[in-house]
Amino acid sequence: MDIILSSISQGLLWSIMAIGVYLTFRILDIADLTAEGSFPLGAAICSVSIVSGISPLLASLLALMGGMLAGIVSGLLHTKLKIPALLTGILTMTALYSINLRILGKANVTLLGQDTLMRTLQSFGLENRMAVLVVGGVAIVLVILVLYLFFSTEIGLALRSTGDNEAMSEANGIHTDTMKIVGYMLCNGLIALSGALIAQNNGYADISMGIGTIVIGLASIIIGEVIFHRLSFAKRLITIVIGAVVYRLIIDFVLQLGVQPQDIKLFSAIVLALALSTPLLKKKPRRTKRVGKKGAELV
């Protein structure tokens, strides 16, 4: 039971990052590698802010804003300088490594003895896992609610239209470049927020904590899509949360079996590969008729 509660609480925090990845990967049809840099960026900004005496809530919001700025940079590189999306993510991710190191001042910053959102709730008598569960639950509800309301607006619909059919959107007067920048901004803002919350939960921010972020996000999205099909936008966001929780359950279960922590990244890649191949494996080869001189025969 403890493992399940831990997986759910961790999954809620990671699902915010997965939703951010979803916005570019599915809505804009862009694989944005900026996530590998904006995730530790959020953790770095939040941790340094807390150590400097800023409240954990304000520090988390500053991390969100920092991620949005990183997204704007990626959006401008892609739309204005016409750099391919994949290379844009690599460029921004590489630049953010140095920026994150500048912010941290060293390889990692500890939050030992500092006030965090989780420790604030623990001061009211909540146990650690329950505190993480409450913080993650409140955060993900707010994120889904805000995104649902945003994508119901004219700008949100224009953003979705840009991802569905860019040429048609331009023909209808939508500034697609602006919409892409907004998408990048939202995506990386959420990823940085997730990094901030996870840093508070782990008790430290590390320069290398963003490695494999994109894989975790994609795995959560694909697992959710494999389990549930053809859902509305709001329900799809909920399935991403479920996918993130399932992913954490799988990882924790594997760790219980004795898999070494250094092999988790490899196992994460295997889980993603299996999830991506599941739809193909479900398809059964159909027998077709081939007409020849001797009549029709099944092949």
Side-chain angles (χ1 to χ4, degrees):
M1 190 63 184
D2 290 340
I3 296 176
I4 294 175
L5 285 176
S6 176
S7 299
I8 293 174
S9 59
Q10 288 284 331
L12 290 176
L13 299 180
W14 282 102
S15 64
I16 299 174
M17 180 273 298
I19 289 176
V21 174
Y22 173 81
L23 295 181
T24 49
F25 182 64
R26 286 299 189 218
I27 301 297
L28 289 179
D29 195 24
I30 294 173
D32 182 25
L33 291 179
T34 310
E36 304 257 335
S38 56
F39 185 84
L41 173 66
I45 292 175
C46 182
S47 298
V48 171
S49 298
I50 290 175
V51 171
S52 301
I54 297 176
S55 69
L57 181 58
L58 181 56
S60 301
L61 293 177
L62 289 175
L64 172 68
M65 294 173 62
M68 294 174 77
L69 287 174
I72 290 174
V73 172
S74 288
L76 290 173
L77 289 175
H78 177 54
T79 58
K80 303 305 180 184
L81 299 184
K82 304 303 179 184
I83 299 175
L86 184 62
L87 293 178
T88 294
I90 294 173
L91 286 173
T92 311
M93 175 184 66
T94 304
L96 282 175
Y97 184 88
S98 296
I99 293 173
N100 293 339
L101 201 53
R102 282 281 185 179
I103 294 172
L104 288 171
K106 49 187 176 181
N108 54 70
V109 169
T110 180
L111 294 175
L112 185 65
Q114 302 291 333
D115 288 332
T116 63
L117 291 174
M118 289 72 178
R119 291 198 183 101
T120 301
L121 290 179
Q122 289 177 42
S123 65
F124 290 100
L126 283 180
E127 193 255 340
N128 179 49
R129 276 187 294 269
M130 290 304 299
V132 177
L133 195 62
V134 171
V135 171
V138 171
I140 197 63
V141 167
L142 288 175
V143 166
I144 291 177
L145 179 61
V146 170
L147 287 179
Y148 175 74
L149 294 175
F150 171 76
F151 279 98
S152 299
T153 64
E154 186 175 344
I155 296 177
L157 293 173
L159 178 58
R160 296 176 68 177
S161 175
T162 299
D164 289 336
N165 193 324
E166 184 175 348
M168 184 63 70
S169 298
E170 288 182 347
N172 283 279
I174 296 175
H175 298 286
T176 54
D177 283 354
T178 302
M179 292 300 103
K180 287 181 179 180
I181 293 173
V182 171
Y184 270 103
M185 183 176 66
L186 289 174
C187 163
N188 289 282
L190 291 177
I191 293 171
L193 175 61
S194 176
L197 295 177
I198 290 174
Q200 293 181 64
N201 181 45
N202 293 343
Y204 67 92
D206 189 86
I207 190 65
S208 62
M209 66 188 300
I211 298 175
T213 298
I214 191 71
V215 174
I216 296 173
L218 291 176
S220 302
I221 295 169
I222 301 302
I223 289 173
E225 290 178 346
V226 167
I227 299 174
F228 304 97
H229 308 279
R230 299 176 183 177
L231 299 177
S232 62
F233 177 74
K235 292 179 180 178
R236 178 55 62 196
L237 294 181
I238 295 174
T239 63
I240 295 173
V241 178
I242 296 173
V245 171
V246 171
Y247 173 81
R248 288 306 313 177
L249 283 170
I250 294 173
I251 295 300
D252 289 341
F253 177 74
V254 169
L255 286 173
Q256 290 297 315
L257 292 178
V259 175
Q260 297 299 316
Q262 62 263 30
D263 297 328
I264 288 300
K265 299 296 183 184
L266 173 62
F267 187 81
S268 299
I270 294 173
V271 170
L272 178 57
L274 292 175
L276 286 170
S277 62
T278 299
L280 182 62
L281 295 176
K282 286 183 177 180
K283 292 181 180 180
K284 296 180 179 179
R286 293 187 302 174
R287 303 176 71 189
T288 57
K289 289 185 177 181
R290 181 175 64 190
V291 179
K293 295 181 179 179
K294 298 182 179 180
E297 59 178 294
L298 292 175
V299 294

